[in-house]
Each structure stands twice: as structure tokens, then as C-alpha cells.
Amino acid sequence: MSEKKIKVTMIRSKNGRLASHKACVAGLGLRKINQSVEVIDTPENRGMINKIHYMLNVEEI
């Protein structure tokens, strides 16, 4: 059984953001602007994505 994945791309800088928002960026595995990662579609990952939606581009795979 394959798990659904989400492609997440950081499109805005994490400079000057709240500490909790920076923690969400790190939790998703993002470090640089325009870096993309694929994460498993879980409620935990969805929560982090929803919290910092303004600095991400999200695609369902």
C-alpha cells in the first residue's frame, strides 16, 4: 500500500518569522527558498503546512 505524498516548495524566506513557523519549516525538511521536498500526507504534516501556507507552494502527487 503506497502512501499519498505532497510536494512542498518554500517560496518565501523564513527570516523574521515566528519561532513556531521556523520550526514548522524545519519539521518539513526545508532549508532554502525554492527547495522542494516530498512528505507523506499525514494530519501532522498537513497541520504544519496549514500553519505556514503563506510561504509554501503545495502540490498533491
Side-chain angles (χ1 to χ4, degrees):
M1 166 183 350
S2 67
E3 299 152 327
K4 274 180 61 178
K5 291 202 170 190
I6 303 172
K7 182 178 179 184
V8 182
T9 307
M10 187 163 80
I11 56 170
R12 289 179 178 254
S13 171
K14 60 184 179 180
N15 288 350
R17 307 294 179 196
L18 295 172
S20 61
H21 290 204
K22 288 182 183 182
C24 288
V25 170
L28 290 168
L30 294 164
R31 294 188 187 97
K32 301 178 181 179
I33 295 176
N34 292 326
Q35 179 187 4
S36 295
V37 294
E38 289 183 8
V39 295
I40 299 169
D41 189 4
T42 62
E44 295 83 3
N45 286 337
R46 281 287 183 174
M48 288 192 280
I49 290 167
N50 287 340
K51 188 168 194 173
I52 56 170
H53 67 91
Y54 63 92
M55 52 195 298
L56 301 177
N57 198 5
V58 181
E59 302 170 36
E60 295 200 19
I61 299 175

